[in-house]
Amino acid sequence: MEPLLFSICVIVFTLVSLFVYNAKSHGKSKNLPPGSFGWPFIGETYEFIFSNHDKFISGRMQNYSSKIFKTHLYGQPTVVLCGPSGHKFIAANEGKLMTAWRPTATRKLFQSAMPTGDSIVSRQSEIHLVRAPVFITQEALVAYASVMDGVTKHHFETHWFGKSQVEVFSLLELLTVGIATRLFMGLQDLDCVAKMAKWFGHIAQGLHVLPYEIPGTTFGRAMKGKRAVMNEIMKLMNEKRERLAKGEMPTDILSYMMVSADPSGKIRSDEEVADKVMGLTTAAFNSPCIALTFAMKYLAENPQVYQRIRDEQMEIAASKEPGDTLSLNDIQRMKYSWNVLLEVMRVIPPLQGTFREAMSDFTYDGYTVPKGWKVYWTVSSINKDPKIFTEPDKFDPTRFEGEIPPFLNMPFGGGPRICPGKDFAKLQMLIYLHYVVTFFKWQLINLNPKVLAAMNALPLDGVWVRLQRCAQ
């Protein structure tokens, strides 16, 4: 339905957009990067959203430049900076030459993604939140490991034990949303968690699509999910407000935000608090869910990799007393397991790239990028480059055993805007991996699951596996 909707939009807007498009100079007097703007108004957004992302990027790198090319995405003239040098340039010039920018769909879903006029203040606010005592400081991660361990074991006992086959992606949505809502909101009602998982799944799928709220479309479902999540968070806030009034101390990020000011000293509104917690939860579950789903696929396809992970994890399990939970020290011992996850995220990135906006004209590789243009960087320009990763289509976790040069291993971004929740994500992924390989062996049922190879690599029909319990 979505490609059809896109085609209708092309027909409706072409006449008007021809005038608008031609009226804009797009910096014609400047030495612009090579490339094509594609269709008027629509640009190359259709291919960007609906085609294979790797092919979209690599094809244009071959046709125009391996370092920079121009295109037209989401109604905006855009340059794509490629490779390690492109990301290094973006990281070095954050808040100087460029600022964060989000596509319209993301901005409609999250009020906190709207431009504030001061990206530095906005970023300080994000960092202020995640460094809060109840979020991802080292002390918080110690406590989180115990909670994640308990939630993960209960998840397997409830949804995996006694089953001959399961669909991995939907169960991982349930688990990762359950962990995030438990730790960020204090939510323990399992029925509510199940509803939240469905709603957050719709929100995550709507982040980089056409921003038309039409029933039955991806974005229509995303906006419906947003309203449901916001309503549920508001109910939780009312309950927490009563307990806080009785002297209860904040125990999660939601209650902390309700009683604390932002870096400027301003008390946040209920809507702002709910919006930010919704954004944190989406970020916390989406990438780990995707990465772990495809880890299950690659471990099934590579039994020698599975066995090496299992050997590592069984050694850790043998060092624990009955009833013990995994600790941060245990997580640090999972070196090969983490290399496997890094390789999974190289082959199938949970998120393909990020956008910026030029704050002023700047020059890159001899070309001018005009003020106001959008700047895009994608891991596709690195992860599949045979000059960087030998045999890039081969699944080989050993490539991460040595020292990886900067700006080559980028699953969580880099520079000033590196994902502040990367340690949180690593913790929950490795805890899951520990239990799934100690509990089970599995085989793929759908051998080649269809993947939406756009900004988020979503398994369209899920990843089904046949389970076999392992002897403990």
Side-chain angles (χ1 to χ4, degrees):
M1 179 175 181
E2 312 244 347
L4 176 61
L5 173 63
F6 199 103
S7 300
I8 293 173
C9 291
V10 171
I11 296 172
V12 171
F13 288 111
T14 293
L15 292 176
V16 174
S17 60
L18 275 170
F19 172 80
V20 174
Y21 189 81
N22 291 328
K24 294 182 178 180
S25 67
H26 287 299
K28 289 180 180 177
S29 62
K30 299 173 181 177
N31 182 30
L32 298 179
S36 170
F37 285 133
W39 286 84
F41 185 79
I42 299 299
E44 297 187 310
T45 309
Y46 182 94
E47 291 179 79
F48 184 79
I49 292 178
F50 297 114
S51 69
N52 182 286
H53 198 84
D54 289 341
K55 291 182 179 179
F56 179 92
I57 298 298
S58 63
R60 285 156 180 77
M61 289 175 67
Q62 292 173 5
N63 291 337
Y64 303 122
S65 168
S66 62
K67 295 183 179 180
I68 182 174
F69 62 85
K70 70 174 181 284
T71 180
H72 201 268
L73 305 175
Y74 298 110
Q76 303 291 331
T78 304
V79 294
V80 180
L81 302 189
C82 307
S85 58
H87 192 271
K88 182 178 180 180
F89 182 83
I90 291 174
N93 290 284
E94 181 71 43
K96 301 174 185 177
L97 298 178
M98 56 193 78
T99 186
W101 182 81
R102 303 286 186 271
T104 302
T106 305
R107 286 181 278 142
K108 285 186 175 182
L109 285 167
F110 299 102
Q111 189 65 29
S112 53
M114 295 294 287
T116 62
D118 191 336
S119 65
I120 300 302
V121 170
S122 176
R123 186 58 175 168
Q124 286 175 343
S125 178
E126 292 175 20
I127 294 173
H128 173 75
L129 286 178
V130 298
R131 287 181 178 168
V134 295
F135 195 41
I136 57 171
T137 61
Q138 191 71 10
E139 295 79 8
L141 288 173
V142 171
Y144 279 10
S146 177
V147 174
M148 288 180 183
D149 185 284
V151 172
T152 303
K153 282 189 287 192
H154 183 266
H155 170 82
F156 280 113
E157 292 166 358
T158 304
H159 300 286
W160 293 62
F161 287 4
K163 303 289 179 63
S164 61
Q165 63 184 48
V166 295
E167 196 288 294
V168 174
F169 182 68
S170 60
L171 288 180
L172 274 164
E173 275 191 332
L174 183 62
L175 173 61
T176 53
V177 170
I179 289 173
T181 53
R182 170 79 172 270
L183 295 173
F184 299 171
M185 307 179 198
L187 182 62
Q188 298 189 47
D189 183 327
L190 297 183
D191 289 336
C192 186
V193 168
K195 291 187 291 185
M196 285 279 207
K198 179 180 179 181
W199 296 332
F200 272 110
H202 290 324
I203 291 171
Q205 292 177 28
L207 292 172
H208 303 100
V209 298
L210 301 174
Y212 304 115
E213 191 176 350
I214 300 173
T217 64
T218 299
F219 191 69
R221 289 189 294 270
M223 288 296 290
K224 185 177 179 180
K226 169 193 172 173
R227 286 188 285 270
V229 168
M230 289 287 285
N231 183 59
E232 205 63 42
I233 295 176
M234 290 291 188
K235 291 179 183 177
L236 284 171
M237 291 175 68
N238 290 333
E239 295 171 7
K240 289 179 182 296
R241 188 170 285 113
E242 294 179 6
R243 295 198 296 270
L244 291 168
K246 296 176 181 178
E248 182 178 298
M249 296 298 293
T251 56
D252 51 62
I253 191 68
L254 178 58
S255 54
Y256 176 84
M257 290 177 63
M258 290 172 62
V259 299
S260 65
D262 65 18
S264 68
K266 176 186 174 184
I267 298 297
R268 304 176 182 89
S269 67
D270 285 0
E271 290 75 13
E272 183 181 2
V273 170
D275 177 82
K276 286 188 176 295
V277 171
M278 182 175 66
L280 288 172
T281 304
T282 302
F285 98 87
N286 192 34
S287 291
C289 179
I290 294 171
L292 288 171
T293 297
F294 289 105
M296 297 289 289
K297 173 183 181 293
Y298 284 109
L299 290 181
E301 295 172 341
N302 296 272
Q304 74 284 1
V305 175
Y306 165 88
Q307 189 59 50
R308 189 171 170 183
I309 285 186
R310 179 171 163 79
D311 291 343
E312 180 177 76
Q313 297 296 345
M314 289 303 292
E315 182 179 341
I316 293 171
S319 69
K320 311 295 289 184
E321 295 294 329
D324 282 354
T325 59
L326 293 168
S327 67
L328 292 189
N329 288 335
D330 296 324
I331 299 300
Q332 292 168 358
R333 295 169 60 189
M334 301 178 185
K335 298 186 184 301
Y336 181 74
S337 300
W338 182 237
N339 289 341
V340 170
L341 289 172
L342 290 175
E343 178 69 346
V344 170
M345 291 185 284
R346 181 194 69 82
V347 178
I348 301 185
L351 180 64
Q352 288 284 359
T354 58
F355 285 94
R356 300 288 186 271
E357 180 178 300
M359 300 167 66
S360 60
D361 287 8
F362 67 83
T363 301
Y364 184 80
D365 195 42
Y367 296 105
T368 298
V369 177
K371 177 181 178 180
W373 277 38
K374 306 308 176 277
V375 180
Y376 181 67
W377 180 86
T378 172
V379 293
S380 289
S381 62
I382 291 179
N383 290 356
K384 300 300 177 66
D385 187 340
K387 296 178 182 177
I388 297 174
F389 292 106
T390 305
E391 296 183 89
D393 293 327
K394 180 181 179 181
F395 187 79
D396 180 15
T398 63
R399 67 176 85 243
F400 289 102
E401 289 180 351
E403 187 71 24
I404 304 298
F407 301 104
L408 294 188
N409 176 27
M410 308 297 297
F412 300 102
R417 296 197 71 85
I418 190 169
C419 175
K422 59 185 179 63
D423 292 329
F424 181 95
K426 180 177 181 179
L427 185 60
Q428 67 173 326
M429 287 194 288
L430 286 173
I431 289 174
Y432 171 88
L433 208 56
H434 171 83
Y435 285 111
V436 78
V437 299
T438 55
F439 288 152
F440 300 103
K441 292 182 180 178
W442 60 91
Q443 296 175 320
L444 287 175
I445 295 175
N446 51 338
L447 298 180
N448 295 295
K450 187 176 180 181
V451 178
L452 177 65
M455 286 288 284
N456 293 103
L458 300 173
L460 296 179
D461 302 315
V463 173
W464 287 87
V465 298
R466 185 174 293 108
L467 297 175
Q468 176 186 342
R469 279 298 302 271
C470 292
Q472 299 298 299

